[in-house]
Amino acid sequence: MRIVLLGPPGAGKGTQAKAMARELKLAHISTGDLLRQNVSSATPLGLEAKEYMNKGLLVPDLLVTKMLEDRFGQSDVKGGFILDGYPRTINQAKTLDSILDAKGMKIDIVFDLDSSEAVIVQRLSGRLVCKKCGALFHKINMPPKVSGVCDQCGGSLYQRDDDKEATIRKRLAVYREEVTALLEYYRAAKLLTTVSADDEASIVLKKIIDRARAL
Ligand SMILES: [Zn+2]
């Protein structure tokens, strides 16, 4: 089974992708991880990507595409995969289709984790990080024993700029604008299944697994 997983920041996409891979015995292909692995093992593609990153530039689509082509050729992918973090645009979706087509493969289902803005803002804006040791807390879901103080090292907790409400709302607006056409593309291909991600992670996972197994 070959799955594409889409969802806004804060919808729990990474967590779901890992759990899905475990439950359905599929390879988890995260383009973020793929890029980091290529860079850290200094593959030719990784070295090329690093040049862009060092200059503070985005890694070009073509490089990511080549990394994906490599990855799809590896043996653990034969039993199927979950693609996480790609595609983000219609062009990437079309590229993905043609890479897979060349290998005699195709996407079987696309899950879109749909989360309301209020829930995402609550989840992300509640995050607190320890200045000293980097431990993570959450104002509501995982509060520290003493407000503003790290349980582990006593360091002080702060909110990252990325987790401030205004930044989150901006990121969500950018995401929504980008993803609308992509969702239409997969809807037209009759591959799209929308799953509400506002529930607890285990409930969301069960809905996805049941749907995937019914294919
Ligand atoms: Zn700490």
Side-chain angles (χ1 to χ4, degrees):
M1 192 184 309
R2 299 176 198 99
I3 300 174
V4 167
L5 185 61
L6 303 174
K13 193 156 58 74
T15 310
Q16 291 298 341
K18 280 193 195 87
M20 287 162 70
R22 201 171 52 232
E23 292 286 320
L24 298 166
K25 299 191 170 44
L26 301 170
H28 173 207
I29 305 178
S30 141
T31 39
D33 291 347
L34 193 59
L35 187 59
R36 278 187 288 275
Q37 281 156 11
N38 271 276
V39 170
S40 69
S41 28
T43 65
L45 293 173
L47 291 175
E48 220 181 307
K50 207 178 167 193
E51 283 182 34
Y52 289 93
M53 291 156 84
N54 286 345
K55 288 178 199 152
L57 299 170
L58 277 179
V59 176
D61 259 13
L62 187 62
L63 273 180
V64 179
T65 307
K66 284 183 182 163
M67 287 177 196
L68 273 176
E69 268 183 307
D70 268 6
R71 188 68 187 86
F72 289 145
Q74 286 164 15
S75 59
D76 67 317
V77 172
K78 288 203 177 71
F81 60 77
I82 295 157
L83 194 51
D84 159 16
Y86 191 98
R88 288 180 196 273
T89 62
I90 286 200
N91 273 338
Q92 290 180 346
K94 287 179 179 163
T95 306
L96 176 65
D97 284 348
S98 63
I99 299 175
L100 291 175
D101 195 43
K103 294 185 187 295
M105 302 194 276
K106 64 174 186 57
I107 296 297
D108 298 303
I109 190 164
V110 176
F111 286 108
D112 175 37
L113 296 181
D114 186 34
S115 215
S116 67
E117 185 153 331
V119 171
I120 293 174
V121 169
Q122 197 247 55
R123 262 183 208 153
L124 295 183
S125 67
R127 291 206 293 208
L128 296 168
V129 190
C130 172
K131 265 183 194 155
K132 244 166 121 183
C133 75
L136 288 169
F137 296 88
H138 192 281
K139 282 176 199 164
I140 295 155
N141 305 338
M142 210 189 20
K145 289 192 188 96
V146 179
S147 168
V149 180
C150 176
D151 289 357
Q152 271 141 54
C153 75
S156 59
L157 303 179
Y158 76 108
Q159 187 183 41
R160 297 187 319 162
D161 281 343
D162 261 11
D163 296 336
K164 296 208 163 118
E165 186 172 335
T167 316
I168 296 165
R169 288 195 193 276
K170 233 179 268 168
R171 277 164 66 202
L172 284 175
V174 170
Y175 172 81
R176 294 233 153 85
E177 197 178 318
E178 210 174 59
V179 84
T180 308
L182 184 62
L183 293 179
E184 275 313 313
Y185 178 80
Y186 283 131
R187 191 173 287 124
K190 301 204 180 336
L191 290 174
L192 188 69
T193 295
T194 303
V195 177
S196 165
D198 282 351
D199 294 318
E200 224 178 280
S202 60
I203 297 169
V204 178
L205 178 65
K206 192 180 179 307
K207 282 190 282 193
I208 294 175
I209 300 288
D210 287 350
R211 181 70 185 79
R213 288 201 171 128
L215 272 181

